[in-house]
Amino acid sequence: MRVLVADDEKGLRESIAEYLELEDIEVDVAENGLSAIRQLEDEDFDTVILDLKMPGADGLEVLKWMKENTPGIPVLMISAFGEVSDAVAAIKLGAEDYLVKPFETEELLLKIRKAGEKRKLQKEVEYLRSTGAVKFNLKSGSPAMKPVMELVHKAAPSPANILITGESGTGKEVFARYIHSLSSRSSQQFVAVNVGGVPESLLESELFGYEKGAFTGADRMKSGLFETASGGTLFLDEIGDMPLHLQVKLLRAIQERKIQRLGAVRQINLDVRIIAATNRDLEKSVKDGLFREDLFYRLNVVRVHLPPLRERKEDIPVLCAGFLENINQKMGRSIEGLTSGAIELLNSYGFPGNIRELENMLERAVILAAGTELTPEDFSISSSPARRKAQGTLKDIERLAIIDSLARWEGRKTRVAEELGIDRKTLFNKIKEYGLE
């Protein structure tokens, strides 16, 4: 929790700050109303304590400004004995509560905790509204997925860190969200970051945040993703791409359950569940000195391995039904399903890009479809016996898929990578491997 104390009495504001910091509450102070407004413009707070009488801008003026510019932040007013009527007026303007000097520190703490809980609930509601907050209902008829689902349902309610492994496009983030939805943290935030997708120079500040003035361009305080996920789940995708020097800081955060923003002196307590994911062989990365062994064991408390789509073909109809519902809504179409021939065709394909490729393939088929059902002709997969025979091995399947896609997109590799559901680096490696340069 972060609190701003605005009072022109130096002794009072500093004593309040010292007391609250002993209770593990992060505190900033302002010596007058204008200073409070400047800090509210730059930074985010969970509760604000305002003295009624301050030079520059008094408590009521700051309160009015907050209701227009920072709505939702609870405000506690501090008044002298003869200012109770003004404090009541502040309540009518939207203040959460008030205290009359002199007051007991325990009473102040109680009111702050109450206001903080209200703010936390508001943030949860905002988050749930913004994300739709539907519970995931993952269904699978595949024997390969049965032990995976059993493990997920056992592990989700526990506080244990989870490592999800599997090829690119197997749905690792979907499963991370599913695990979050089954946990006691489901009403809190799920925060995801693709470690490999953030430039190394920005990754530390993205994860841990920074203080104003911590570096050139840091013109305001910024909370990191660890703080944003407080009480909820932080999903670290492509964890195998994390630089070694940041692995040390991540390990410390997990072990000590504390973080420190860049440029900060104080540490912030953490209450975050970590789910990490990778398509790499982390054990090999450990042996090669690319990944810390102690961090690996901290993350690998429970291992969930997602099999590739080619090993769970029974799930294709279920996945298609779910994707079609979303695609129809997004595109304003009303495709009812797939013909038996279309399902047979998809079952004959190897899906090197896994579930992500299937989704992209369905989206393209919906665009091309003339009828109310998807047919084999709507998919860019050859259904000829000769072609299916040629798809004897996974390498054959991958090579043919890349050749087809390169032809369709006239060599535009970014488009090819998007269609196949793989990143550009993987595509370039595959092109080199199969001699397609």
Side-chain angles (χ1 to χ4, degrees):
M1 179 187 291
R2 192 168 188 219
V3 174
L4 175 63
V5 179
D7 196 307
D8 60 325
E9 293 183 39
K10 182 180 179 181
L12 179 59
R13 68 172 180 265
E14 290 186 352
S15 62
I16 290 175
E18 289 174 7
Y19 173 73
L20 295 181
E21 286 171 349
L22 290 173
E23 297 293 329
D24 286 330
I25 295 174
E26 187 177 356
V27 183
D28 286 65
V29 295
E31 67 274 10
N32 56 53
L34 292 177
S35 175
I37 288 173
R38 283 195 295 271
Q39 292 191 56
L40 286 162
E41 285 177 326
D42 289 341
E43 302 173 24
D44 185 37
F45 296 93
D46 297 302
T47 304
V48 175
I49 301 172
L50 290 177
D51 187 21
L52 264 171
K53 302 299 182 183
M54 291 184 291
D58 64 21
L60 290 177
E61 291 176 287
V62 176
L63 178 61
K64 290 175 184 176
W65 182 90
M66 288 183 65
K67 293 307 159 186
E68 293 180 3
N69 297 277
T70 58
I73 300 179
V75 176
L76 299 177
M77 305 300 299
I78 299 176
S79 66
F81 180 74
E83 301 166 351
V84 175
S85 60
D86 290 333
V88 173
I91 297 293
K92 291 180 180 179
L93 281 173
E96 184 71 20
D97 208 336
Y98 70 92
L99 295 121
V100 179
K101 302 175 187 176
F103 50 81
E104 296 293 331
T105 50
E106 290 81 1
E107 181 186 10
L108 171 66
L109 181 61
L110 183 64
K111 290 183 184 293
I112 288 174
R113 298 278 192 209
K114 182 180 177 182
E117 284 300 315
K118 181 178 180 180
R119 177 63 171 159
K120 183 178 179 182
L121 182 59
Q122 286 173 339
K123 286 183 175 180
E124 288 173 17
V125 171
E126 290 168 4
Y127 168 71
L128 294 174
R129 283 175 178 166
S130 68
T131 60
V134 291
K135 288 269 186 179
F136 287 86
N137 184 18
L138 297 183
K139 295 179 181 178
S140 173
S142 165
M145 287 299 294
K146 185 178 179 181
V148 175
M149 300 304 292
E150 289 176 351
L151 177 59
V152 162
H153 282 86
K154 287 179 182 178
S158 77
N161 294 334
I162 293 177
L163 178 63
I164 304 177
T165 59
E167 295 178 7
S168 291
T170 48
K172 293 187 283 294
E173 181 171 344
V174 172
F175 266 84
R177 289 182 181 274
Y178 183 52
I179 291 167
H180 173 74
S181 76
L182 296 175
S183 74
S184 60
R185 299 170 178 264
S186 59
S187 63
Q188 306 292 324
Q189 292 219 50
F190 175 93
V191 178
V193 58
N194 185 322
V195 173
V198 180
E200 185 175 333
S201 59
L202 300 178
L203 185 57
E204 184 173 6
S205 61
E206 187 74 11
L207 289 173
F208 302 103
Y210 54 81
E211 294 290 342
K212 183 177 180 180
F215 50 82
T216 302
D219 55 356
R220 59 175 296 177
M221 185 280 292
K222 180 182 180 297
S223 298
L225 296 180
F226 270 99
E227 288 180 76
T228 304
S230 180
T233 302
L234 178 60
F235 175 57
L236 302 172
D237 199 7
E238 295 188 21
I239 189 66
D241 292 340
M242 178 168 277
L244 275 169
H245 74 278
L246 287 185
Q247 291 179 28
V248 177
K249 195 162 185 178
L250 175 60
L251 176 64
R252 189 179 303 120
I254 295 173
Q255 288 177 331
E256 299 177 3
R257 294 190 173 275
K258 292 181 180 180
I259 61 161
Q260 194 168 331
R261 297 190 198 116
L262 293 177
V265 177
R266 292 174 297 187
Q267 290 189 319
I268 300 169
N269 291 326
L270 283 182
D271 176 24
V272 177
R273 200 241 190 110
I274 304 292
I275 301 179
T278 184
N279 57 11
R280 293 190 178 190
D281 182 346
L282 282 191
E283 283 94 340
K284 184 177 186 301
S285 295
V286 169
K287 289 179 181 177
D288 293 342
L290 300 174
F291 202 85
R292 291 182 64 96
E293 185 176 27
D294 44 7
L295 177 58
F296 171 71
Y297 287 123
R298 285 286 181 178
L299 297 173
N300 191 40
V301 178
V302 177
R303 172 82 69 95
V304 175
H305 180 73
L306 301 182
L309 186 55
R310 62 183 175 275
E311 294 178 9
R312 42 182 294 209
K313 293 290 185 71
E314 299 89 346
D315 290 342
I316 287 178
V318 177
L319 290 167
C320 286
F323 286 141
L324 275 180
E325 185 178 345
N326 294 332
I327 294 168
N328 278 332
Q329 185 176 5
K330 182 170 67 174
M331 295 188 175
R333 297 295 303 272
S334 54
I335 302 296
E336 296 172 1
L338 288 77
T339 65
S340 59
I343 291 291
E344 183 181 351
L345 175 64
L346 294 179
N347 281 331
S348 72
Y349 182 61
F351 288 102
N354 290 295
I355 297 172
R356 190 183 298 139
E357 184 184 3
L358 173 62
E359 183 179 14
N360 293 340
M361 193 180 288
L362 284 168
E363 188 168 332
R364 186 173 62 252
V366 169
I367 294 171
L368 299 174
T372 58
E373 285 188 304
L374 299 181
T375 67
E377 289 71 29
D378 296 321
F379 293 90
S380 54
I381 306 173
S382 172
S383 58
S384 69
R387 178 63 177 274
R388 286 203 300 270
K389 184 178 180 181
Q391 294 179 344
T393 68
L394 174 59
K395 288 186 178 294
D396 293 332
I397 293 167
E398 287 182 336
R399 188 173 186 276
L400 287 170
I402 293 170
I403 290 171
D404 283 352
S405 191
L406 284 169
R408 273 192 300 277
W409 292 107
E410 298 176 341
R412 286 178 284 173
K413 295 181 178 61
T414 298
R415 292 288 191 178
V416 172
E418 289 174 357
E419 179 179 274
L420 297 178
I422 58 179
D423 56 49
R424 281 172 54 87
K425 183 179 179 181
T426 301
L427 175 63
F428 279 106
N429 289 340
K430 294 290 183 184
I431 288 173
K432 184 176 181 180
E433 179 183 349
Y434 297 136
L436 303 176
E437 295 173 301

